Amino acid sequence: MAATTQPFVLRWGVISTGRISMEFVKDLLIDPKTRGTEDVAHVVAAVGSRSAEKALEFIAKYAAGDPSIHAYGTYDEVYADKDVDAIYIGTPHTLHYENARDALNAGKHVLCEKATTSNAAETKALIKLAKEKGLFFMEALWTRFHPLTLEVKKVAEEGGLGDPVVLHADLSHDFQIEQLPVTHRMLDPHLGGGALLDLGPYPMFWAVLALYEHPSNKGARPTSVSASIVKTPITGVDSSTSWIVTFSEHLRAQAILSCSMTIPTAAFGATIRYRNGNIIIGTPIFKPRTFTVQYFDKPGSGVIAREDTRAFHYVGGGWHYEADEVARCVRDGKLESELWGYEKTIMVMEIFDEVRRQGGYKLPTGVEKVH
């Protein structure tokens, strides 16, 4: 009888105990077989918070009080833990650079929440450090690894729709900012507050997938970015932001993107328009469960001759797919993901820098550690 191959197990240390870390840990603890994954598996080895008590509380609530998980009152203790292979960083944006730098310097692989850092210079510095240390580093753009996204990419690139021409994508949420303390992550400029760095990565992601990654684009960077920001008088961070990303070197395509923290999200979510039809991504665009492909009766007619809707079901919230990608890359000795590698992360951060520059939103002095 053939020996059963054991899955590669990645041991995680989790930094911060906020909502996003909670979602990630809950998904890590789901049996990988429920999503058809048998080659990799995950364990939560350590959790770090502002106090050991908070870490223990988190483990009790979201990891069934597992006594094997180390609870720490500092992040440094997580980085130093010999039972930890990779660090998941779920802290506010402006802490990512220091957290990731310290984790890499401690010899740990890193999965860092988006937006990756405060600016592109910080992101480039982390990637340089990861390469020097021979460690894996990735922005936690979890949507890229969903089965739905992989299928959208196939349909978008098989040729039946032609080349993309216009993409519309929005992610908004009414945070009721008038009721929030000014120290809240959405309002505090010292934490990179505002709509762009919190919500903006998702509309931007669909532009990267549908336009930048399209074979007809031949890997060309955007030729222009045009942006506008509306700031809240409460703290001066962006409350609504819109930006147009144009690809005209090989494609003739534009992405019209928006995000706001004072209104609900747009019903259209993300729509990719082609001469021969449309791809409509369901909402919420960070974890859609359905997408619809519309085919026109003839190019440019706008008359829908055929419509195909596809639905996707899995156990959990969808964070486990990015964790599986990290585990496979670490197992195979890769320093970056082929699906969401350094180049895309740097490009997105550079676009966000330009959006903020055009909108006149400067982070407070001292927030950006690398320029």
Side-chain angles (χ1 to χ4, degrees):
M1 197 170 165
T4 307
T5 305
Q6 291 299 309
F8 173 83
V9 178
L10 192 65
R11 302 172 301 172
W12 290 90
V14 175
I15 294 302
S16 101
T17 50
R19 188 192 64 81
I20 195 80
S21 295
M22 172 267 286
E23 298 281 14
F24 185 73
V25 164
K26 279 165 59 180
D27 265 20
L28 281 186
L29 299 176
I30 291 168
D31 183 351
K33 289 187 177 69
T34 64
R35 57 186 179 273
T37 295
E38 298 194 359
D39 60 324
V40 294
H42 309 275
V43 295
V44 179
V47 172
S49 190
R50 284 165 294 188
S51 70
E53 290 74 28
K54 275 193 172 297
L56 280 167
E57 193 181 299
F58 180 90
I59 292 163
K61 204 166 179 184
Y62 304 116
D66 185 343
S68 71
I69 302 174
H70 303 151
Y72 295 119
T74 68
Y75 297 161
D76 286 341
E77 290 171 286
V78 182
Y79 307 146
D81 193 321
K82 296 191 298 295
D83 293 331
V84 170
D85 305 312
I87 301 289
Y88 170 78
I89 295 172
T91 52
H93 317 303
T94 53
L95 303 178
H96 290 175
Y97 169 73
E98 291 168 281
N99 296 154
R101 178 200 63 197
D102 293 350
L104 290 166
N105 277 327
K108 307 301 186 188
H109 306 286
V110 170
L111 176 65
C112 183
E113 266 309 332
K114 67 223 135 350
T116 322
T117 53
S118 302
N119 63 27
E122 289 183 346
T123 296
K124 289 175 186 174
L126 289 177
I127 288 169
K128 182 173 181 284
L129 179 60
K131 286 178 178 176
E132 287 169 359
K133 297 280 186 183
L135 294 164
F136 179 82
F137 177 86
M138 188 175 83
E139 176 187 14
L141 210 300
W142 61 309
T143 315
R144 180 62 183 87
F145 307 99
H146 290 176
L148 175 142
T149 304
L150 304 181
E151 191 62 25
V152 167
K153 186 172 165 65
K154 260 190 225 168
V155 173
E157 296 179 4
E158 67 191 4
L161 291 165
D163 286 347
V165 179
V166 176
L167 178 142
H168 304 267
D170 173 83
L171 182 63
S172 298
H173 180 77
D174 188 349
F175 283 90
Q176 299 183 319
I177 58 175
E178 294 79 11
Q179 274 76 59
L180 295 179
V182 293
T183 52
H184 190 278
R185 66 180 177 85
M186 293 304 295
L187 281 176
D188 189 348
H190 289 90
L191 298 178
L196 180 66
L197 293 183
D198 194 83
L199 302 168
Y202 294 107
M204 190 67 237
F205 159 69
W206 286 105
V208 174
L209 184 92
L211 305 186
Y212 175 74
E213 289 189 18
H214 196 282
S216 295
N217 185 53
K218 300 178 183 176
R221 284 286 197 100
T223 43
S224 71
V225 176
S226 179
S228 179
I229 280 178
V230 175
K231 297 178 187 175
T232 171
I234 301 171
T235 57
V237 302
D238 69 304
S239 56
S240 294
T241 295
S242 60
W243 66 109
I244 298 172
V245 184
T246 300
F247 293 82
S248 59
E249 187 178 337
H250 301 292
L251 280 180
R252 294 288 180 268
Q254 287 185 314
I256 302 165
L257 311 171
S258 58
C259 57
S260 175
M261 61 180 187
T262 57
I263 50 171
T265 202
F268 59 76
T271 299
I272 315 162
R273 297 164 63 191
Y274 307 78
R275 278 202 76 222
N276 300 345
N278 303 308
I279 298 177
I280 301 164
I281 312 296
T283 56
I285 61 170
F286 49 83
K287 58 167 182 181
R289 293 294 184 113
T290 64
F291 75 95
T292 299
V293 189
Q294 298 173 333
Y295 297 93
F296 299 155
D297 62 348
K298 58 185 179 183
S301 73
V303 177
I304 299 165
R306 183 162 61 90
E307 199 168 76
D308 176 19
T309 296
R310 305 181 194 189
F312 294 77
H313 305 281
Y314 46 83
V315 178
W319 280 268
H320 37 45
Y321 292 111
E322 68 178 355
D324 292 346
E325 175 73 3
V326 177
R328 290 181 182 120
C329 289
V330 169
R331 177 195 66 194
D332 299 342
K334 294 178 180 176
L335 301 190
E336 63 179 315
S337 164
E338 288 169 21
L339 298 189
W340 197 257
Y342 302 154
E343 169 65 15
K344 291 169 197 171
T345 293
I346 290 169
M347 179 175 69
V348 168
M349 287 311 306
E350 287 181 342
I351 288 170
F352 285 173
D353 284 356
E354 179 60 16
V355 170
R356 284 195 298 113
R357 187 192 70 78
Q358 290 187 27
Y361 174 18
K362 292 182 181 176
L363 295 170
T365 303
V367 167
E368 296 165 284
K369 307 302 182 197
V370 185
H371 294 275

